[in-house]
C-alpha cells in the first residue's frame, strides 16, 4: 500500500508528469539535460516514497500520484485499483454514481495494429463534436448511460454499466496501439461487453455520419470512435484535498513524441517552478516534489534540520550533487 500522503503538515506540492518517458529517444536525451535547479533542489530534499511499476499499467504513475495527493482512497482506506481511479465522478454533484469520460477519437488502422489519436490532436470543432455526440447519446441512453456534452474533446457519461470498469488512461494510449488497453471488468463483465458493443456501434454510426464526409473533405482525420477513461464511483465521504501544482508542457510534448519541445519544456520548468521550489526549501518552507515517468514515480520532501541531517548534507556537498537526470532515468 502506498505511504500515506502527509496531510497533517501544509506543504507546497509540485507534481511533474512525464518528467521522463519510456521512448528510447527520451532516454537518450536525459544525459544532455543540465537541470541545475533540479539538481540543487534534490540535494535539499529526501526521498520519502517510490511508486515502482511498469509502463503497462492502466493508470500511469502521475495519475496514481495525483490520486494519492488528493486523498482519493476507498472507504476501507485502500487505494483504488489499476485503471479504477474515478476521475469523472470527481466532477459531479453525485460522485457515488458510476461515471466515465468518453473521448471522441480517431482509430488509425495499420498493417499490424490500431493506433489511437485523441480528440485534442484532431482539430475537433464544437460543431463536429456536438453533431456526433447528438447521434450517439440515444444509443447510450438505451443501455442505461446518460451522456452529457462537456467539451469537443470530452463527453461525460453516467450510469450503472460504468461500475467496476478498469480503463486505460488516455495518457497511456495516445499515439499507441490500443489492443492491450481495451476496457475490461472482472467485477462487471456485462458492463465491459456493453461498452465494447457501444464502441462498435459508434464506429458504424460515425462512419455514415455527414461529419465523416465533411472532415475527409477538409483533409482532417475522421472521428471513428470514442475512448472510455476515468470510470467508477467515488465514496461521498471522501473530500478531495487541494490539488498540487502540475505543469503540463512536458506531458503535451511527450504525448506527441516531440523530444525537442520536451527538452525545452524541461529548461523552462527548471528555470521557473523548480527554481522557486528550491528557494522555498532553502528558506525552510515545507515543500514536496513528485517526479513521474511512465514506469514509476518518486516523492521528495524537505530533509530534516537536525544535526544528523546537517552532517548528511555536508557529506553530500563533499561528494558533489547527483545530476538530476540520473534520478529521472529511474522513473
Amino acid at each position: 500500500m502506498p505511504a500515506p500522503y502527509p496531510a497533517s503538515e501544509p506543504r507546497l506540492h509540485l507534481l511533474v508528469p512525464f518528467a521522463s518517458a519510456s521512448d528510447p529517444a527520451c532516454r537518450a536525451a536525459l544525459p544532455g539535460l543540465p537541470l541545475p535547479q533540479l539538481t540543487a533542489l534534490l540535494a535539499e530534499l529526501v526521498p520519502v516514497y517510490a511508486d515502482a511499476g511498469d509502463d503497462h499499467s492502466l493508470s500511469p504513475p502521475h495519475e496514481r500520484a495525483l490520486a494519492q495527493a488528493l486523498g482519493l482512497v476507498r472507504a476501507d482506506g485502500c487505494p483504488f485499483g489499476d485503471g479504477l481511479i474515478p476521475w469523472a465522478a470527481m466532477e459531479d454533484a453525485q460522485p457515488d454514481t458510476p461515471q466515465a469520460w468518453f473521448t471522441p477519437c480517431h482509430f488509425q488502422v495499420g498493417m499490424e495494429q490500431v493506433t489511437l489519436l485523441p480528440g485534442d490532436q484532431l482539430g475537433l470543432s464544437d460543431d463536429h463534436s456536438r453533431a456526433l455526440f447528438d447521434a450517439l447519446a440515444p444509443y447510450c441512453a438505451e443501455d442505461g448511460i446518460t451522456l452529457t456534452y462537456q467539451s469537443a474533446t470530452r463527453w461525460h457519461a453516467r450510469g450503472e454499466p460504468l461500475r467496476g470498469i478498469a480503463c486505460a488512461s488516455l495518457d497511456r494510449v495516445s499515439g499507441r496501439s490500443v489492443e492491450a488497453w481495451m476496457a475490461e471488468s472482472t467485477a462487471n463483465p456485462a458492463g465491459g461487453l456493453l461498452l465494447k458493443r457501444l464502441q462498435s456501434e459508434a464506429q458504424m454510426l460515425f462512419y455514415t455520419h455527414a461529419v465523416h464526409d465533411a472532415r475527409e473533405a477538409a483533409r482532417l482525420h475522421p472521428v471513428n470512435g470514442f475512448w472510455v477513461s476515468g470510470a467508477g464511483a467515488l465514496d461521498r465521504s471522501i473530500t478531495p484535498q487541494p490539488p498540487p501544482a502540475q505543469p503540463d508542457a512536458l506531458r503535451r510534448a511527450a504525448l506527441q513524441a516531440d523530444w525537442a519541445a520536451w527538452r525545452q519544456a524541461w529548461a523552462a520548468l527548471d528555470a521557473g517552478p523548480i527554481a522557486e521550489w528550491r528557494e522555498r526549501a532553502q528558506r525552510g518552507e515545507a515543500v514536496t516534489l513528485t517526479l513521474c515517468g511512465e514506469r514509476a514515480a518518486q516523492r521528495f520532501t524537505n530533509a530534516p534540520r537536525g544535526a544528523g541531517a546537517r552532517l548528511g548534507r555536508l557529506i553530500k556537498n563533499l561528494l558533489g550533487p547527483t545530476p538530476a537526470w540520473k534520478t529521472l532515468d529511474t522513473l
Side-chain angles (χ1 to χ4, degrees):
M1 183 183 300
Y5 186 75
S8 58
E9 181 182 5
R11 284 186 172 271
L12 297 160
H13 189 177
L14 180 65
L15 192 156
V16 184
F18 286 92
S20 182
S22 299
D23 191 303
C26 176
R27 295 287 163 182
L30 288 177
L33 294 175
L35 305 181
Q37 297 296 332
L38 181 59
T39 296
L41 174 59
L42 290 174
E44 292 281 334
L45 306 179
V46 294
V48 293
Y49 175 64
D51 177 1
D54 58 46
D55 49 13
H56 301 295
S57 60
L58 301 177
S59 300
H62 61 275
E63 291 191 6
R64 300 197 299 265
L66 177 60
Q68 190 178 350
L70 293 174
L72 297 186
V73 295
R74 301 195 307 258
D76 59 6
C78 293
F80 288 97
D82 188 32
L84 294 169
I85 306 172
W87 295 117
M90 281 187 61
E91 300 184 1
D92 194 77
Q94 296 179 316
D96 52 348
T97 300
Q99 297 165 57
W101 289 323
F102 285 10
T103 300
C105 58
H106 173 75
F107 292 99
Q108 190 163 8
V109 181
M111 292 293 292
E112 298 181 354
Q113 65 182 28
V114 178
T115 304
L116 181 145
L117 298 179
D120 58 5
Q121 295 183 25
L122 302 179
L124 187 57
S125 67
D126 271 309
D127 287 344
H128 284 175
S129 182
R130 175 70 76 170
L132 296 174
F133 168 90
D134 289 341
L136 181 63
Y139 288 83
C140 294
E142 289 177 2
D143 288 319
I145 296 175
T146 301
L147 211 56
T148 303
Y149 189 85
Q150 194 170 62
S151 73
T153 58
R154 178 178 287 176
W155 306 337
H156 185 273
R158 179 189 295 105
E160 195 59 33
L162 301 170
R163 187 181 298 278
I165 302 294
C167 305
S169 166
L170 267 176
D171 286 356
R172 280 304 202 200
V173 298
S174 294
R176 295 175 174 172
S177 171
V178 302
E179 183 179 0
W181 304 105
M182 299 303 290
E184 297 289 348
S185 174
T186 55
N188 182 7
L193 290 173
L194 183 151
L195 286 173
K196 288 181 179 180
R197 178 171 55 76
L198 268 178
Q199 287 172 316
S200 296
E201 290 176 347
Q203 183 179 8
M204 296 300 298
L205 181 65
F206 294 169
Y207 179 75
T208 58
H209 199 284
V211 166
H212 182 278
D213 296 335
R215 292 185 64 82
E216 283 206 327
R219 297 190 176 182
L220 296 170
H221 286 299
V223 175
N224 55 9
F226 65 90
W227 189 257
V228 182
S229 64
L234 186 69
D235 192 284
R236 281 183 178 272
S237 65
I238 296 175
T239 302
Q241 302 299 310
Q246 294 181 83
D248 197 46
L250 291 171
R251 172 185 166 276
R252 285 185 280 107
L255 290 180
Q256 299 190 46
D258 187 343
W259 303 114
W262 184 82
R263 290 193 297 270
Q264 293 172 0
W266 246 128
L269 182 62
D270 192 64
I274 295 292
E276 178 188 348
W277 250 241
R278 179 195 177 191
E279 292 172 0
R280 290 177 178 273
Q282 289 177 328
R283 291 199 297 265
E285 296 184 42
V287 301
T288 294
L289 172 70
T290 302
L291 299 173
C292 307
E294 291 194 89
R295 300 174 303 184
Q298 289 192 55
R299 191 170 73 227
F300 304 83
T301 61
N302 301 69
R305 295 287 170 175
R310 287 196 297 270
L311 177 60
R313 283 194 294 271
L314 177 60
I315 294 173
K316 269 188 178 181
N317 291 335
L318 290 173
L319 295 175
T322 302
W325 73 266
K326 291 191 174 182
T327 298
L328 302 182
D329 196 38
T330 66
L331 303 177

